[in-house]
Amino acid sequence: MKKIDLNCDLGESFGAWKMGCDEDVIPLITSANIACGFHAGDPVVMAKTVKLAADARIGLGAHPGFPDLQGFGRRDMKVTPAEAKAYVQYQTGALAAFASEYGLKLQHVKAHGNLYNMAGRDHDLAVAICRAIKAVSPDLIILALAGSEMISAAEEVGIRAASEVFADRAYEENGALVARSKPGSMITDEDEAAARVLRMVQEGKVTAITGKDIPIRADSVCVHGDNPKAVAFVQKLRTMLTEGGCELAPLSAFIV
Amino acid sequence: MKKIDLNCDLGESFGAWKMGCDEDVIPLITSANIACGFHAGDPVVMAKTVKLAADARIGLGAHPGFPDLQGFGRRDMKVTPAEAKAYVQYQTGALAAFASEYGLKLQHVKAHGNLYNMAGRDHDLAVAICRAIKAVSPDLIILALAGSEMISAAEEVGIRAASEVFADRAYEENGALVARSKPGSMITDEDEAAARVLRMVQEGKVTAITGKDIPIRADSVCVHGDNPKAVAFVQKLRTMLTEGGCELAPLSAFIV
Amino acid sequence: MKKIDLNCDLGESFGAWKMGCDEDVIPLITSANIACGFHAGDPVVMAKTVKLAADARIGLGAHPGFPDLQGFGRRDMKVTPAEAKAYVQYQTGALAAFASEYGLKLQHVKAHGNLYNMAGRDHDLAVAICRAIKAVSPDLIILALAGSEMISAAEEVGIRAASEVFADRAYEENGALVARSKPGSMITDEDEAAARVLRMVQEGKVTAITGKDIPIRADSVCVHGDNPKAVAFVQKLRTMLTEGGCELAPLSAFIV
Amino acid sequence: MKKIDLNCDLGESFGAWKMGCDEDVIPLITSANIACGFHAGDPVVMAKTVKLAADARIGLGAHPGFPDLQGFGRRDMKVTPAEAKAYVQYQTGALAAFASEYGLKLQHVKAHGNLYNMAGRDHDLAVAICRAIKAVSPDLIILALAGSEMISAAEEVGIRAASEVFADRAYEENGALVARSKPGSMITDEDEAAARVLRMVQEGKVTAITGKDIPIRADSVCVHGDNPKAVAFVQKLRTMLTEGGCELAPLSAFIV
């Protein structure tokens, strides 16, 4: 049976500000990307989120971002590879300290926002991030965009990589995500979105925006827990995936 | 032979701002308290500082402080024990991630500035900090003011504690440091300062500001690397301690 | 006709995080305390909030707080008077720059959270804050707890002061707010809360928690716009005040 | 007599970290660009720096930067024009509040680091910054790279602009600065640097890196006060300029 992971960004509250429906989405997912204080999250939020995720026995992941709280890590910042390495190392270590309270180790690291985007296209940045992850622990898995520079950098550096796919995004023929600014970039029909994911998992294929089928590797699907509607879609996706013959499992269960 | 550790705050630069003569003082000390980004230090500085300290084979310690960069962690902040616990856990984990790059583990944690001061007097805060340290690793040693609440909290929580003494500070009869605002609070004569330390180590005694001898436990002496004069004093102290029959050693070599 | 101001904290969103029902409460109030980026708010939020308040022609006020985003300015920080002065000056000037875009000047300054609380009891801190306000503009009004050190400091420094009262809080016989940790500190019945405010405005009296009537000056009532229920109470309070013969007006209309 | 301004970045200390020889360079310059807390400076440093500059009767300018303390504002950040506008407005207003304490108004605004560089090339960003400046006060002068988008944006928006030249940098034929990464980008000979400036001021010409003379407008020369050597060069430049028949004067004395 084909295994697939569902990952979701969690712990994005900060201080007095609440964000996301973490309690609602946790029972539906298999891996958590937990914000580490640079773009979102703070130590108190991290402590609480790690406890929730640990209790639910889902895979714990660090979600390091740019040091840009006001911009939620969603603005390009031209950091050097050495800076990116230090930022990822710092944030991953910080999160690991909360997991160790429960005798747990982190399963994976997924870069956040524009650090994810920039490193997906920039080989030096991608290598720096993979080195940071390996420095914290060579057992960690990097979760990154299928077909991106991050996936090849992981191989180069010698850590395991998991390929992430998106239910609600269109793909270019080269496997890149269609930019949000372009028409047709978002898959808005939920049934179509779920069906596309099922095909990516089962057949390793997706229809690009040009109409051509392209190969794609799907180890994990990125889902959202921002609001009740997003949570409802995760439930639907779970159902379609399991009825379609997939087994939901955290990355650590099958990434080698 | 009586063993004694010399500890110094390191890695207090931040971004473009340089602070401290780290390279000069590292060869003279046995343990480093490395700033973790809340009151000083940043990920790039931490990476560099850990490398320097690791190369010198001195004990690596986290130096967590209040989230108060503008105040350098030297202002009282009324945080809850839960907040203090999360802050110490976060910062200690972040620093540990840089040590692991060299296959090293942290030796100790020393709270910084007013977090150190407040927790030395506040039992709940002290317990919270010790719990944070234990959560990261039960092998970590807490380095704290001799006779303070932090030392008893460590016993209560079940982690090892090392007692810190100060060469340049006068003591009250109850073992507390004389407040800096009081006359006579500072020991300005370097020979007297060094002689007092030697006696604390060898005899376990110090003369309080009242003139009365009091018992004191000295596992580690706090030294400074802020400027060339401070570094010169560390050299003098080393000489007096070794000539006085003490062996300089990091905490991990003798704290049980 | 007795004039009374209704003031509310606005602009407490930050980056991607939304807080408060600003659009809903603005039509009901006469003065706005706008967060200035230290405990909440950011430049983009401030720009938007000033525009909303300027369009509604309500009094514009700065709401400076401690530099403590994680703690929302609600933790005691032992800053020096010089630091407090600089913080208030900085934040007030920053907000004024958004008002000047519409040819407007700020009406008032109200310290936020624990800066408000600490300065209400600490004469030196209160004087420092009043000096900061005067430095920005001698025309600014300070809005502060009725009977507090801030009110007397304003007189000492030579700026106008407006006395603030609370609908939902019990008072000690000396005019201080009953600490939230004590039983009976909150007035939970909305009709009672509104009736108390009306009496404070009309008679200059309130019944302290001991049962004794005490004198109190009420220039402005602190209301909340955090949630729909709070907004509904503001509507009720407006109705009771106007039906009770008061005229709602911003501070600039009547504070001399 | 041709008037020329000498401007220098000041107030770049932060919290416990000191940077720059402000006291030494202030007597030698005519305009100050004072950091506003985003890339350097903090409210206490700003208060002190404005006092120093006000006492010396030099032109007071805001030096707003990206919200990137760790990177000192020297990393590209892809902010929107609306964000840039709000950041400049906020920081300029904050600094103005310290000037008003002495009955003074700000003379100019100069964007810092990579905000200066990016806006020099990006029309929308340049217009946003000029609008921010005009919103704070239409009397403010923008100080920006000669021939850059900022200069033309100022005309478009309707504020005064002053053209800045660099003593130690080579120019491309199109008037842009030669990138620091290219050979020959820096003018390291001090006499040559000073002579180039004198010619820019007196003749409105400079020899580009290609050997060709190009026209350039010089209202202000950027000088540095980082270290004693830099300060000594400012002294030399002053002497050469005055002996060469120029009058040193702040921007407000001659920019129309």
Side-chain angles (χ1 to χ4, degrees):
Chain A
M1 204 149 76
K2 185 70 170 79
K3 289 200 175 71
I4 184 74
D5 174 67
L6 297 188
N7 80 79
C8 184
D9 300 350
L10 298 182
E12 294 187 329
S13 294
F14 181 81
W17 294 276
K18 193 170 154 44
M19 183 180 284
C21 308
D22 289 7
E23 285 88 346
D24 299 329
V25 79
I26 283 176
L28 305 177
I29 60 175
T30 46
S31 290
N33 318 307
I34 301 174
C36 301
F38 274 36
H39 71 280
D42 67 42
V44 173
V45 169
M46 288 161 73
K48 187 186 162 194
T49 308
V50 166
K51 183 172 188 339
L52 283 174
D55 286 349
R57 298 170 186 275
I58 58 178
L60 299 175
H63 200 204
F66 284 128
D68 180 19
L69 207 57
Q70 284 185 43
F72 205 73
R74 287 191 180 141
R75 302 188 288 205
D76 277 5
M77 281 187 76
K78 210 164 178 178
V79 302
T80 64
E83 289 168 342
K85 176 168 183 280
Y87 294 165
V88 169
Q89 214 163 331
Y90 182 98
Q91 295 178 72
T92 304
L95 187 72
F98 293 98
S100 70
E101 185 159 0
Y102 306 102
L104 298 172
K105 288 182 180 302
L106 298 186
Q107 170 194 256
H108 73 282
V109 178
K110 174 180 164 180
H112 167 81
N114 285 36
L115 180 59
Y116 179 98
N117 296 336
M118 291 178 80
R121 297 184 302 261
D122 180 326
H123 176 261
D124 291 351
L125 205 53
V127 166
I129 290 173
C130 290
R131 284 194 181 137
I133 294 169
K134 191 178 187 182
V136 181
S137 165
D139 295 332
L140 283 163
I141 298 163
I142 184 166
L143 174 57
L145 183 66
S148 70
E149 286 288 342
M150 295 277 270
I151 300 293
S152 47
E155 189 172 14
E156 183 179 333
V157 169
I159 57 169
R160 290 179 291 165
S163 293
E164 181 177 42
V165 297
F166 292 81
D168 59 349
R169 298 291 296 275
Y171 284 87
E172 302 282 2
E173 273 197 18
N174 69 357
L177 296 175
V178 174
R180 284 176 194 269
S181 52
K182 287 195 192 170
S185 65
M186 305 302 294
I187 310 296
T188 51
D189 182 274
E190 290 198 348
D191 290 312
E192 181 190 352
R196 281 166 64 90
V197 168
L198 184 58
R199 186 166 176 239
M200 287 192 254
V201 178
Q202 292 290 27
E203 300 180 31
K205 284 183 188 165
V206 70
T207 305
I209 196 166
T210 57
K212 184 179 166 185
D213 272 5
I214 59 167
I216 193 162
R217 178 183 174 113
D219 296 315
S220 185
V221 186
C222 178
V223 298
H224 305 288
D226 307 72
N227 54 63
K229 188 164 175 295
V231 174
F233 175 69
V234 183
Q235 182 60 65
K236 170 186 289 222
L237 184 63
R238 277 181 72 94
T239 305
M240 280 193 64
L241 286 168
T242 49
E243 290 181 351
C246 300
E247 182 188 337
L248 299 173
L251 298 171
S252 59
F254 62 98
I255 298 293
V256 288
Chain B
M1 206 150 73
K2 185 72 168 80
K3 289 201 176 72
I4 184 74
D5 173 68
L6 297 186
N7 80 79
C8 184
D9 300 349
L10 298 182
E12 295 187 331
S13 295
F14 182 81
W17 294 276
K18 194 172 153 43
M19 182 181 285
C21 309
D22 289 7
E23 285 87 347
D24 298 329
V25 80
I26 282 176
L28 305 177
I29 60 174
T30 45
S31 290
N33 318 307
I34 302 174
C36 302
F38 274 36
H39 72 280
D42 67 41
V44 173
V45 170
M46 289 161 72
K48 186 187 162 193
T49 309
V50 167
K51 184 171 188 338
L52 284 174
D55 285 350
R57 298 172 185 275
I58 58 178
L60 300 175
H63 200 205
F66 283 129
D68 179 21
L69 207 57
Q70 284 186 42
F72 204 72
R74 287 192 180 140
R75 304 188 287 206
D76 278 4
M77 281 187 76
K78 211 165 177 177
V79 302
T80 64
E83 289 167 342
K85 176 168 184 280
Y87 294 165
V88 170
Q89 213 163 333
Y90 181 98
Q91 293 177 74
T92 305
L95 188 71
F98 294 98
S100 70
E101 185 159 1
Y102 305 101
L104 298 173
K105 288 183 180 300
L106 299 186
Q107 171 194 256
H108 73 283
V109 178
K110 174 180 165 179
H112 167 80
N114 285 38
L115 179 60
Y116 179 97
N117 295 336
M118 291 179 80
R121 298 183 303 260
D122 180 325
H123 177 261
D124 291 351
L125 206 51
V127 166
I129 290 172
C130 290
R131 284 192 181 139
I133 295 169
K134 191 178 187 183
V136 181
S137 165
D139 295 332
L140 283 164
I141 299 163
I142 183 165
L143 174 57
L145 183 66
S148 71
E149 287 288 342
M150 294 278 270
I151 301 294
S152 47
E155 190 172 13
E156 183 180 334
V157 169
I159 57 169
R160 290 178 293 165
S163 293
E164 181 177 42
V165 297
F166 291 81
D168 59 350
R169 297 291 296 274
Y171 284 86
E172 302 282 2
E173 273 196 18
N174 69 357
L177 297 174
V178 174
R180 284 175 194 268
S181 53
K182 287 195 191 170
S185 65
M186 304 302 293
I187 310 296
T188 52
D189 182 273
E190 290 199 349
D191 290 311
E192 183 190 351
R196 282 167 63 91
V197 167
L198 183 58
R199 187 167 176 237
M200 288 192 254
V201 178
Q202 291 291 27
E203 300 180 31
K205 284 183 188 164
V206 71
T207 305
I209 196 165
T210 57
K212 185 178 165 186
D213 272 5
I214 59 167
I216 192 163
R217 178 183 175 112
D219 296 316
S220 185
V221 186
C222 178
V223 299
H224 304 288
D226 306 73
N227 53 65
K229 188 166 175 297
V231 174
F233 175 70
V234 183
Q235 182 60 68
K236 171 185 289 223
L237 184 63
R238 277 181 71 93
T239 305
M240 282 194 62
L241 286 168
T242 48
E243 289 180 352
C246 300
E247 183 188 338
L248 298 173
L251 298 172
S252 59
F254 62 98
I255 298 293
V256 288
Chain C
M1 204 148 78
K2 185 72 170 78
K3 289 200 174 70
I4 183 76
D5 173 68
L6 297 187
N7 80 79
C8 184
D9 300 349
L10 298 182
E12 295 187 329
S13 295
F14 182 82
W17 295 276
K18 194 172 152 41
M19 183 181 285
C21 308
D22 289 7
E23 286 87 347
D24 299 328
V25 81
I26 282 177
L28 304 177
I29 60 174
T30 46
S31 291
N33 317 307
I34 302 174
C36 301
F38 273 37
H39 72 279
D42 66 42
V44 174
V45 169
M46 289 161 72
K48 188 188 161 193
T49 308
V50 167
K51 185 174 188 336
L52 284 174
D55 285 349
R57 297 170 185 276
I58 59 177
L60 300 176
H63 200 205
F66 283 129
D68 179 19
L69 207 57
Q70 284 185 42
F72 204 73
R74 287 191 181 142
R75 304 189 286 206
D76 277 5
M77 280 187 76
K78 210 166 179 177
V79 301
T80 65
E83 289 167 341
K85 176 168 183 281
Y87 294 164
V88 170
Q89 213 163 333
Y90 181 98
Q91 294 178 71
T92 304
L95 188 70
F98 294 98
S100 71
E101 185 159 0
Y102 306 102
L104 298 173
K105 287 184 180 300
L106 298 186
Q107 168 194 257
H108 73 282
V109 178
K110 174 179 164 180
H112 167 80
N114 285 38
L115 179 59
Y116 179 98
N117 296 336
M118 292 179 80
R121 298 183 302 259
D122 180 326
H123 177 260
D124 292 351
L125 205 53
V127 166
I129 290 173
C130 290
R131 284 194 180 137
I133 294 169
K134 191 179 188 183
V136 181
S137 166
D139 295 332
L140 283 164
I141 299 163
I142 183 166
L143 174 56
L145 184 66
S148 72
E149 286 289 341
M150 296 277 271
I151 301 293
S152 47
E155 190 172 13
E156 184 179 333
V157 168
I159 57 169
R160 290 178 292 165
S163 293
E164 181 177 42
V165 296
F166 292 82
D168 59 350
R169 297 291 297 272
Y171 283 87
E172 302 283 1
E173 274 196 18
N174 69 356
L177 296 175
V178 174
R180 284 175 194 268
S181 52
K182 287 195 193 171
S185 65
M186 305 303 293
I187 311 296
T188 50
D189 182 274
E190 291 198 348
D191 291 311
E192 182 190 352
R196 282 166 64 91
V197 168
L198 184 58
R199 187 168 175 237
M200 287 192 253
V201 178
Q202 292 291 26
E203 300 180 31
K205 284 183 187 164
V206 71
T207 304
I209 197 167
T210 57
K212 186 179 165 185
D213 272 5
I214 59 167
I216 192 163
R217 178 183 175 112
D219 295 317
S220 185
V221 186
C222 178
V223 298
H224 304 289
D226 306 73
N227 54 64
K229 188 164 174 297
V231 174
F233 174 70
V234 184
Q235 183 59 68
K236 171 185 288 225
L237 184 63
R238 276 182 71 94
T239 305
M240 281 194 64
L241 286 169
T242 49
E243 290 180 352
C246 301
E247 182 188 338
L248 299 173
L251 298 172
S252 58
F254 63 98
I255 298 292
V256 289
Chain D
M1 205 149 76
K2 185 70 171 77
K3 289 199 175 73
I4 183 76
D5 173 68
L6 296 187
N7 80 79
C8 184
D9 300 348
L10 298 182
E12 295 188 329
S13 295
F14 182 82
W17 294 276
K18 193 171 152 44
M19 182 181 286
C21 309
D22 289 7
E23 286 86 348
D24 299 329
V25 81
I26 282 177
L28 304 176
I29 59 174
T30 45
S31 291
N33 318 308
I34 302 174
C36 301
F38 273 37
H39 72 281
D42 66 42
V44 173
V45 169
M46 289 162 73
K48 188 186 162 193
T49 309
V50 166
K51 184 172 187 340
L52 284 174
D55 286 349
R57 298 172 185 276
I58 58 177
L60 299 175
H63 200 204
F66 283 128
D68 180 19
L69 207 56
Q70 284 186 42
F72 205 73
R74 285 190 181 142
R75 301 188 286 206
D76 277 5
M77 281 187 75
K78 211 165 179 177
V79 302
T80 65
E83 289 167 342
K85 176 168 183 280
Y87 293 165
V88 170
Q89 213 163 332
Y90 181 98
Q91 294 178 72
T92 303
L95 188 71
F98 294 99
S100 70
E101 185 159 1
Y102 306 101
L104 298 173
K105 287 184 180 301
L106 298 185
Q107 168 193 257
H108 73 282
V109 178
K110 173 179 164 179
H112 167 81
N114 285 37
L115 179 59
Y116 179 98
N117 296 337
M118 291 178 80
R121 297 183 302 258
D122 180 326
H123 177 261
D124 291 351
L125 205 52
V127 167
I129 290 173
C130 290
R131 285 194 180 138
I133 294 169
K134 191 178 188 183
V136 180
S137 164
D139 295 332
L140 284 164
I141 299 162
I142 184 165
L143 174 57
L145 183 66
S148 71
E149 287 288 342
M150 295 279 271
I151 301 294
S152 47
E155 189 172 12
E156 182 179 334
V157 169
I159 57 169
R160 290 178 293 166
S163 292
E164 181 177 42
V165 298
F166 292 82
D168 59 348
R169 299 290 297 274
Y171 285 86
E172 301 283 0
E173 274 196 19
N174 68 357
L177 297 174
V178 174
R180 284 175 194 267
S181 52
K182 287 194 191 171
S185 65
M186 304 304 293
I187 311 296
T188 51
D189 182 273
E190 290 199 349
D191 291 309
E192 182 191 352
R196 282 166 63 92
V197 167
L198 183 58
R199 187 169 176 235
M200 287 192 253
V201 178
Q202 293 290 26
E203 300 181 31
K205 285 184 186 162
V206 71
T207 305
I209 197 166
T210 57
K212 184 179 166 184
D213 272 5
I214 59 167
I216 192 162
R217 178 183 175 115
D219 296 315
S220 185
V221 186
C222 178
V223 299
H224 304 288
D226 307 72
N227 54 64
K229 189 164 175 297
V231 173
F233 175 69
V234 183
Q235 183 60 68
K236 170 184 291 223
L237 184 62
R238 277 182 71 94
T239 305
M240 282 194 65
L241 286 168
T242 49
E243 291 181 351
C246 301
E247 182 188 338
L248 298 173
L251 298 172
S252 58
F254 63 98
I255 298 292
V256 289

